[in-house]
Amino acid sequence: AGTGDEPPAAAPPDQRALLEQLRTEGASLRGEELWQFRTLLDQVAAAHAWTRRRREDRPGLSKHIDELDPLPTLHRELGRTLEPSGEVRDDASPDLAKIRRSIRALRDRLSKQLESIARALGAAESFVTLREGRYVIAVPASQRRLVPGTPLGHSGSGATVFVEPREVAEANSQLAEVSLDELREVDRILRDLSAAARRERDALARDLECLARLDAAQAVASWAGAADAQLPDLSEERTFR
C-alpha cells in the first residue's frame, strides 16, 4: 500500500495468459494461479483507498484509478477459499473440512499403530514411512517374517523391506478412499472459483490494463522528479513554445 503521499505500487503479475485461459468455458485454474487475481485485486483496492485520500492533488493518476473495479465479491471469495500459497483452505467448504478431519484422524491412527509395531520389533532400522501412498514399516530383511503383511518395496541394497502390516491394511484403504474424496472436492472448489473469475474476466482484464498504465505513469513521474523535469509549455496549436 502507499504511504499516503505517493500512490500505491501498481505492478501486478502478468496475468494475460491466465485471462486467455478463462476464455474457455469450463476452464479450471490452479489455486496459485487464482491467487494471482487476489493479488491484482489487492492492488486495485489499495489504489482506490489512495484515491480517496489524494484525489484533489493528483488528478492525472486519479483518472487511471477511477477506471478500476475492485470486484469485492470475487476478492472476498478468493481470500476466504485460498491460502496465499494457492492451497485450498480447510474451511473452503463444509465437505472439505469434514474430509480433512477424517484424513488427519486416520493418519494419526495409522501412525500410532505402526509405531507400536515398529517398537515391538526392537530394531533401530525400523521406522514408519509411505510407499505407493500407503503407510508402511521399514523392516530389516532378516526380520521380515515377524511382520505379517504385504511387502510394498525394498531398499536399494535389499537390506530393508517396506511392509504394510495386515492389521493396518483396511485403514490404509480407507485413507486412500478419503484422499480421493479430498481431491474431488478440491477440484470442484477450484472449478467454481475459476467459473467466478471467468464471469469477471473482462473486468479483471481492464483492471490489469489500468494498473499497467498507472505503473507507467508512476515510472514517468519518478523519472521526472529525479531529473527535475517539467511538462513542456504548448501553444494553442499544440506546438512547443
Side-chain angles (χ1 to χ4, degrees):
T3 63
D5 294 321
E6 296 301 324
D14 187 350
Q15 298 158 353
R16 288 173 295 181
L18 299 181
L19 291 167
E20 190 62 29
Q21 289 182 53
L22 289 180
R23 286 185 181 277
T24 303
E25 187 171 358
S28 183
L29 301 181
R30 300 192 305 273
E32 59 269 27
E33 293 173 330
L34 287 162
W35 189 260
Q36 290 188 37
F37 294 132
R38 167 73 184 212
T39 301
L40 171 69
L41 295 175
D42 280 342
Q43 293 179 332
V44 170
H48 268 271
W50 176 85
T51 302
R52 287 195 295 271
R53 295 192 301 269
R54 309 294 298 178
R55 177 178 295 276
E56 292 181 2
D57 60 344
R58 302 293 180 90
L61 291 181
S62 294
K63 178 180 180 298
H64 291 293
I65 293 173
D66 284 344
E67 299 175 16
L68 295 169
D69 187 342
L71 300 174
T73 300
L74 180 60
H75 179 268
R76 182 170 56 251
E77 189 63 11
L78 290 169
R80 185 193 70 79
T81 308
L82 299 174
E83 299 286 0
S85 64
E87 182 181 354
V88 176
R89 293 167 55 98
D90 289 358
D91 57 356
S93 76
D95 284 346
L96 186 60
K98 180 179 178 181
I99 289 167
R100 286 185 172 168
R101 282 196 299 270
S102 296
I103 288 174
R104 285 191 291 269
L106 282 167
R107 284 175 175 166
D108 185 57
R109 192 172 101 202
L110 280 164
S111 179
K112 288 177 178 176
Q113 280 185 276
L114 291 170
E115 285 172 359
S116 176
I117 295 170
R119 282 195 302 270
L121 282 176
E125 304 95 321
S126 292
F127 57 90
V128 177
T129 186
L130 278 170
R131 277 294 183 276
E132 299 177 18
R134 299 175 79 87
Y135 281 86
V136 299
I137 300 176
V139 180
S142 60
Q143 295 181 292
R144 165 68 184 89
R145 294 181 181 277
L146 298 178
V147 185
T150 305
L152 294 180
H154 53 76
S155 63
S157 65
T160 301
V161 182
F162 299 103
V163 181
E164 178 187 55
R166 188 177 300 155
E167 54 263 56
V168 303
E170 182 178 350
N172 258 332
S173 294
Q174 289 176 354
L175 180 60
E177 290 176 10
V178 178
S179 295
L180 284 176
D181 290 340
E182 179 191 22
L183 289 175
R184 282 191 286 266
E185 180 63 7
V186 165
D187 181 65
R188 183 195 67 77
I189 290 167
L190 292 178
R191 280 188 282 106
D192 285 353
L193 279 177
S194 297
R198 184 174 186 271
R199 288 192 292 272
E200 303 291 0
R201 182 193 170 281
D202 290 345
L204 288 166
R206 285 194 301 272
D207 282 346
L208 184 62
E209 182 182 353
C210 288
L211 281 183
R213 291 202 305 269
L214 180 60
D215 186 41
Q218 288 177 252
V220 171
S222 296
W223 171 83
D228 196 23
Q230 296 181 354
L231 288 172
D233 189 12
L234 299 178
S235 68
E236 292 183 2
E237 291 79 22
R238 311 297 290 175
T239 58
F240 291 112
R241 287 178 176 170

